[in-house]
Amino acid sequence: MRLGFSPFTTGLDYRTAFELAAELGLFLEIAYDQHEADPRLPGAKELAEMGRSAGVGFTVHLPFVDWNLASLVPSVWRLSLERTQKALEFAGQIGAYCGVLHTGSVPLRHPEALTQAHRLLEQALRALEPTVPLALENLGLDKNDLLETPAELVRLLQAHPQHSFCLDVGHALVQLGPEGPKTYHQLLQDRLIHWHLHDNRGASDEHLPCGEGEVDWAWVRQVLKGFGGTVALEVTGGVEGVRRSVALLRQA
């Protein structure tokens, strides 16, 4: 298992994030949206060199801000697809272990709109040309999220065997309660290549440091023992939030 964290969620600049990652033996999960929005951030070539110098690897969170691969608006859908492909190319250029993808939203909850949104998402998943393994993340946090149940994500991944799964334990807790992470794991463990770890108290997506909410961390540690993929902390709390979370996960 490779363990890392998201500088974006943690609120750390790259200098601090690289220093902390090198010290603790972690990788960094890069938020591609940040690099689109802020030209001052390093490009792919520079970021890759920073990683080599520090001995720090990467995963990439693909776009999710002002983005929707299930959009019923053709121009929005095309732009979202274009941005996702560019992000995948960026991920390949920095040697990322994988890229994490959301599954879109549909504010118009009409049956015909939902059917068309599913078609558009599937069309996008067929059209993408990943340069790194692509992991679809469970959401179910908002009434507008396209996928409302674990079964829908199972069917989507069955239809697209070229892609994999990212289990977000915080999202699963909010969506389904304390058994939510276990439900997703049971259904999709054979497709699981990446985890997002953070905590909450069950009502909202708080991204607390691990151990400060209601996630069953004893269960998480147990199932991670035999996991060979990547695990990214998406916690708030700055440097100490990362340190506390890493310490909890590395308990014997």
Side-chain angles (χ1 to χ4, degrees):
M1 176 191 76
R2 293 186 176 103
L3 181 61
F5 71 94
S6 166
F8 174 75
T9 308
T10 310
L12 299 179
D13 61 77
Y14 273 152
R15 179 178 177 180
T16 305
F18 271 104
E19 290 175 352
L20 182 62
E23 176 194 341
L24 298 179
L26 309 176
F27 67 81
L28 297 180
E29 179 150 305
I30 304 301
Y32 183 74
D33 285 314
Q34 278 191 296
H35 286 260
E36 282 190 302
D38 190 347
R40 297 170 299 177
L41 291 178
K45 184 177 180 180
E46 182 182 355
L47 192 63
E49 181 54 39
M50 293 166 69
R52 283 191 290 271
S53 297
V56 170
F58 303 106
T59 57
V60 172
H61 199 306
L62 302 168
F64 63 93
V65 176
D66 295 333
W67 168 100
N68 187 5
L69 283 184
S71 177
L72 303 177
V73 180
S75 59
V76 173
W77 182 86
R78 286 193 298 269
L79 180 58
S80 297
L81 182 62
E82 178 184 327
R83 291 175 61 201
T84 305
Q85 186 60 49
K86 287 182 178 179
L88 285 167
E89 291 165 5
F90 175 92
Q93 290 164 2
I94 66 172
Y97 304 128
C98 70
V100 182
L101 185 68
H102 285 189
T103 49
S105 60
V106 185
L108 183 63
R109 307 307 286 188
H110 188 279
E112 290 184 10
L114 290 168
T115 298
Q116 176 65 358
H118 278 281
R119 288 198 194 103
L120 288 165
L121 175 59
E122 295 212 31
Q123 183 179 339
L125 293 177
R126 289 192 297 270
L128 288 171
E129 298 179 0
T131 57
V132 300
L134 183 62
L136 305 187
E137 180 180 355
N138 58 293
L139 294 173
L141 297 171
D142 185 273
K143 63 181 181 180
N144 293 333
D145 285 335
L146 174 61
L147 304 187
E148 298 179 282
T149 66
E152 289 178 278
L153 184 53
V154 170
R155 287 194 295 271
L156 185 65
L157 282 167
Q158 287 174 338
H160 297 275
Q162 73 274 31
H163 301 316
S164 302
F165 173 50
C166 167
L167 172 52
D168 189 303
V169 298
H171 293 175
L173 175 63
V174 173
Q175 182 189 18
L176 299 173
E179 295 301 307
K182 299 175 186 178
T183 298
Y184 273 104
H185 186 265
Q186 180 180 15
L187 291 171
L188 287 165
Q189 59 184 303
D190 62 326
R191 307 292 295 277
L192 179 60
I193 64 168
H194 189 61
W195 293 64
H196 278 166
L197 298 184
H198 49 97
D199 219 333
N200 63 67
R201 289 167 283 232
S204 64
D205 192 27
E206 299 171 275
H207 285 268
L208 300 173
C210 302
E212 295 188 8
E214 297 181 8
V215 169
D216 183 350
W217 293 106
W219 172 80
V220 172
R221 286 195 300 268
Q222 180 63 36
V223 296
L224 285 179
K225 285 181 181 179
F227 181 64
T230 47
V231 178
L233 298 165
E234 286 192 320
V235 299
T236 53
V239 169
E240 288 309 310
V242 173
R243 288 188 185 279
R244 292 198 303 273
S245 298
V246 169
L248 183 146
L249 291 170
R250 289 178 172 171
Q251 286 179 9

